């Protein structure tokens, strides 16, 4: 197993910051939040995932300084997985009222799994970029 490089650590930190910016600031618009809560329209959830993919593209390009094809692969991984995770969670919230209710433990379990999955995807991106950059 290879060693962790300083660049990989910086990239993971940057991707975590990007995730925060994409989910918990004005970059996640009211329209996107409403769509995520209602489970539709999927185009608004896709727009939200596109914001995340754009932030990943910028971070990978700025920190990993790798080939454009690898930058696009990283952004594509983020786009596809972020959309799938958020769309699934949104549909789950529509079908199961306990998932929508922040006073219920179920809500926080699902929220935690959602965030864990996003974090694991970011780690996967770091591994892919680091492996191809060596």
């Amino acid at each position: 197993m290879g060693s962790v490089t300083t660049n990989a650590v910086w990239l993971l930190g940057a991707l975590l910051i990007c995730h925060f910016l994409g989910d918990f600031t004005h970059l996640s618009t009211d329209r996107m939040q409403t769509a995520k809560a209602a489970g539709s329209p999927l185009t608004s959830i896709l727009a939200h995932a596109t914001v995340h993919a754009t932030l990943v593209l910028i971070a990978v390009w700025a920190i990993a300084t790798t080939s454009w094809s690898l930058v696009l692969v990283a952004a594509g991984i983020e786009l596809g997985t972020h959309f799938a995770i958020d769309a699934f969670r949104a549909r789950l919230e529509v079908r199961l009222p306990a998932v929508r209710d922040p006073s219920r433990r179920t809500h926080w379990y699902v929220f935690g799994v959602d965030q864990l999955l996003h974090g694991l995807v970011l780690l996967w991106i770091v591994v892919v970029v680091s492996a191809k950059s060596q």
Side-chain angles (χ1 to χ4, degrees):
M1 182 178 282
S3 62
V4 176
T5 65
T6 303
N7 233 24
V9 173
W10 279 110
L11 181 57
L12 181 58
L15 292 176
L16 290 169
I17 291 168
C18 289
H19 182 76
F20 168 79
L21 293 172
D23 265 2
F24 301 106
T25 70
H26 68 283
L27 296 176
S28 186
T29 66
D30 290 341
R31 190 179 96 237
M32 293 172 187
Q33 290 299 323
T34 300
K36 285 171 54 177
S40 66
L42 291 177
T43 54
S44 294
I45 298 172
L46 181 60
H48 173 71
T50 301
V51 167
H52 279 273
T54 302
L55 292 170
V56 165
L57 183 145
I58 292 166
V60 171
W61 176 77
I63 293 170
T65 59
T66 187
S67 70
W68 268 110
S69 61
L70 192 53
V71 170
L72 294 174
V73 165
I77 290 170
E78 179 64 14
L79 178 66
T81 59
H82 205 96
F83 174 76
I85 292 166
D86 281 6
F88 179 77
R89 179 173 172 217
R91 296 294 169 112
L92 197 60
E93 287 189 19
V94 169
R95 287 183 173 84
L96 302 172
V99 175
R100 272 193 312 270
D101 183 357
S103 70
R104 304 283 301 269
R105 207 178 269 279
T106 306
H107 169 82
W108 296 105
Y109 287 148
V110 172
F111 178 76
V113 169
D114 171 87
Q115 293 302 296
L116 174 63
L117 290 173
H118 289 307
L120 290 172
V121 168
L122 298 178
L123 185 57
W124 176 30
I125 290 169
V126 169
V127 169
V128 167
V129 170
S130 296
K132 300 291 184 186
S133 296
Q134 294 179 356

